[in-house]
Amino acid sequence: KFKGNWLELGRFVSVVEKSQTFREWGFVTFESYCTRELKLRQQTVSKLLRSFLFLKREEPASLSAFLGDGDGAGRLPDYESVNVLRLARAKKDISEKDYSKLRSAVFDGGVQPREVGRQYRSMLQSAREADVDPEEAWLRKRRELLKKVLGSLRSVKNTLELSQLLPSDGIATLKKLIEQVEEELTRE
């Protein structure tokens, strides 16, 4: 129910946490209030709060518009998407250009949270790869691919040996190919 209006809930729990009103209601901790009274997991409450406070700090005009205090409510993005945007803002590796693309996907594009997360992970991967020497990246990629091929070849060899689908000279050829791939891996 709250996903459609997570912002109101985020604002509410933010006020309750800051004012510690939950104590007046008989709860010792904010976490116990959220889990017992609101029936929300701590992880969910944390994302709600962080997403709400991120909008309050980084996107005050959007926050006002979403809450109806501004000149139009606009389309409220999912709190999971806003949380990913918050994570992206905190990463030094994400360029302003990439952040702007992600921001646009969240606020303008109506992109689903799973896709926003995928875009974010892709941006992080690209940023990591940009910091690596191209030749080193190629060698790493080559080694990973050789390991995958080696695993596949071993699996095929074992299956063919057990099922006796190939004559012994075919298995011998496969063993020779496995040795060649192993040799390539040891050269590096």
Side-chain angles (χ1 to χ4, degrees):
K1 176 183 171 187
F2 84 88
K3 281 191 177 192
N5 200 6
W6 70 265
L7 212 47
E8 288 291 342
L9 183 59
R11 177 165 56 177
F12 174 76
V13 293
S14 171
V15 169
V16 168
E17 180 186 45
K18 187 173 183 177
S19 67
Q20 301 214 349
T21 312
F22 59 87
R23 293 187 192 280
E24 295 171 21
W25 299 328
F27 295 95
V28 178
T29 66
F30 177 68
E31 291 77 16
S32 64
Y33 166 73
C34 291
T35 54
R36 285 196 262 148
E37 184 69 20
L38 300 178
K39 309 288 189 243
L40 295 173
R41 293 184 347 212
Q42 184 54 40
Q43 182 181 8
T44 304
V45 173
S46 180
K47 283 182 188 177
L48 274 170
L49 275 172
R50 290 176 179 170
S51 296
F52 174 77
L53 295 172
F54 170 78
L55 288 178
K56 188 175 178 181
R57 185 182 67 249
E58 297 285 331
E59 302 282 344
S62 295
L63 179 62
S64 290
F66 294 140
L67 289 172
D69 303 337
D71 53 351
R75 187 199 61 76
L76 177 63
D78 188 281
Y79 79 98
E80 296 272 6
S81 296
V82 174
N83 188 55
V84 171
L85 190 62
R86 176 189 68 80
L87 293 171
R89 174 51 89 197
K91 283 286 184 191
K92 305 288 186 241
D93 298 343
I94 303 289
S95 70
E96 275 302 313
K97 181 180 173 188
D98 282 344
Y99 177 80
S100 293
K101 277 195 239 176
L102 199 60
R103 184 193 178 282
S104 179
V106 170
F107 289 117
D108 306 327
V111 177
Q112 293 297 313
R114 181 171 283 173
E115 176 61 20
V116 172
R118 189 197 62 72
Q119 289 178 19
Y120 171 64
R121 287 186 300 280
S122 175
M123 289 174 183
L124 282 177
Q125 182 67 30
S126 295
R128 276 189 225 115
E129 289 172 359
D131 290 342
V132 176
D133 174 43
E135 187 170 334
E136 183 182 323
W138 181 84
L139 287 171
R140 185 179 304 140
K141 192 80 161 175
R142 180 179 183 276
R143 183 168 182 76
E144 288 172 16
L145 189 56
L146 283 171
K147 283 181 177 180
K148 284 181 183 179
V149 167
L150 184 60
S152 297
L153 287 172
R154 286 176 176 158
S155 178
V156 167
K157 178 190 77 69
N158 291 339
T159 301
L160 291 173
E161 281 179 329
L162 289 173
S163 63
Q164 299 177 343
L165 289 174
L166 272 183
S168 60
D169 60 333
I171 300 291
T173 303
L174 199 48
K175 285 180 180 178
K176 192 171 188 173
L177 183 56
I178 289 170
E179 288 172 8
Q180 287 176 326
V181 174
E182 287 173 337
E183 193 176 302
E184 279 298 311
L185 276 169
T186 58
R187 272 191 210 167
E188 295 177 6

